Amino acid sequence: CATCNNGYFLKGAHCQEYACVKGAGTQCESCQPVPDRRVDSHCATCNPGYELVGQFCVAFRCGTGQGTGCASCVSQDNRTVHDQCATCNQGHYMAGTRCEAYTCSTGSGKECKVCRSQSDRTAHGHCAECNPGHFLSDGFCQAYDCRTGGGESCASCAPQGSR
C-alpha cells in the first residue's frame, strides 16, 4: 500500500486499523467509528469525571488548598468540571461547584465596626464588634431600641450613637 483509507495507518507495506480501547479512567467510554479515527484511542465520549480534550480523555482536576480552594473535592467519578469542591474551608461557602468567601464590610449604623476574622464567618456581614448605639446579636449588629410615650417609656430618646 502507498496510502490507507480513513481510520487506518500504513505499517510497513500494509494498512492497520487505529485501535481504540474502552475502559475505566482515561480510557474511552466509547470510541469514534473506525472511518473517523485519526489516532489510536480516538475517543467519542469519556467516562464520568473525565472530559474530551482533542481525541483523548483527561481527568477533571481538583486541588485542595486554603481560602477559596476546596477543603475536599468531589470524587473523580462525580466531577463534571475542574475544581469541583465537596466542602469549603472555614469562612467560605459553596457557590455552585466552587467555594467563595463570606464577605464583610465595616461602616456606620448597623454595619460592623469590626468584622469577624475570615475563618470565623458563617454568613455575609458577620461582625465581631458593633458601632455605638448597636449591640451584637448572633454575629449581627442590631440597634438599641427606644420607645417614647407615657409610663415606663422614654419622654425622649438619646441619639442612636449615644444609646
Side-chain angles (χ1 to χ4, degrees), residues 145-158 163:
D145 216 9
C146 179
R147 297 183 198 275
T148 57
E152 292 182 3
S153 297
C154 300
S156 66
C157 293
R163 293 184 196 165

Side-chain angles (χ1 to χ4, degrees), residues 5-10 16-21 28 30-44 52-57:
N5 292 311
N6 288 340
Y8 296 82
F9 64 95
L10 196 58
Q16 185 172 335
E17 180 181 311
Y18 284 112
C20 189
V21 179
C28 302
S30 68
C31 299
Q32 286 288 352
V34 174
D36 295 338
R37 293 182 194 163
R38 301 292 176 260
V39 293
D40 283 332
S41 298
H42 193 161
C43 299
L52 195 59
V53 177
Q55 301 94 351
F56 305 104
C57 294

Side-chain angles (χ1 to χ4, degrees), residues 2-148:
T3 62
C4 297
N5 292 311
N6 288 340
Y8 296 82
F9 64 95
L10 196 58
K11 185 173 183 180
H14 302 285
C15 292
Q16 185 172 335
E17 180 181 311
Y18 284 112
C20 189
V21 179
K22 293 187 270 184
T26 58
Q27 292 180 328
C28 302
E29 181 179 54
S30 68
C31 299
Q32 286 288 352
V34 174
D36 295 338
R37 293 182 194 163
R38 301 292 176 260
V39 293
D40 283 332
S41 298
H42 193 161
C43 299
T45 61
C46 299
N47 293 299
Y50 298 81
E51 68 175 330
L52 195 59
V53 177
Q55 301 94 351
F56 305 104
C57 294
V58 177
F60 285 114
R61 68 184 180 286
C62 185
T64 57
Q66 297 178 341
T68 56
C70 301
S72 66
C73 297
V74 169
S75 66
Q76 186 67 52
D77 291 349
N78 290 321
R79 292 182 197 160
T80 56
V81 295
H82 293 290
D83 297 316
Q84 190 169 358
C85 300
T87 60
C88 299
N89 293 302
Q90 290 182 332
H92 297 77
Y93 65 97
M94 289 295 299
T97 60
R98 300 182 193 275
C99 296
E100 292 187 12
Y102 286 113
T103 58
C104 184
S105 58
T106 57
S108 60
K110 290 176 98 173
E111 291 187 40
C112 300
K113 179 178 180 181
V114 177
C115 293
R116 284 191 179 183
S117 66
Q118 187 66 54
S119 62
D120 289 339
R121 295 180 198 163
T122 58
H124 292 293
H126 224 171
C127 303
E129 290 181 38
C130 298
N131 292 300
H134 296 78
F135 65 96
L136 202 56
S137 175
D138 294 324
F140 300 95
C141 295
Q142 304 294 324
Y144 283 111
D145 216 9
C146 179
R147 297 183 198 275
T148 57

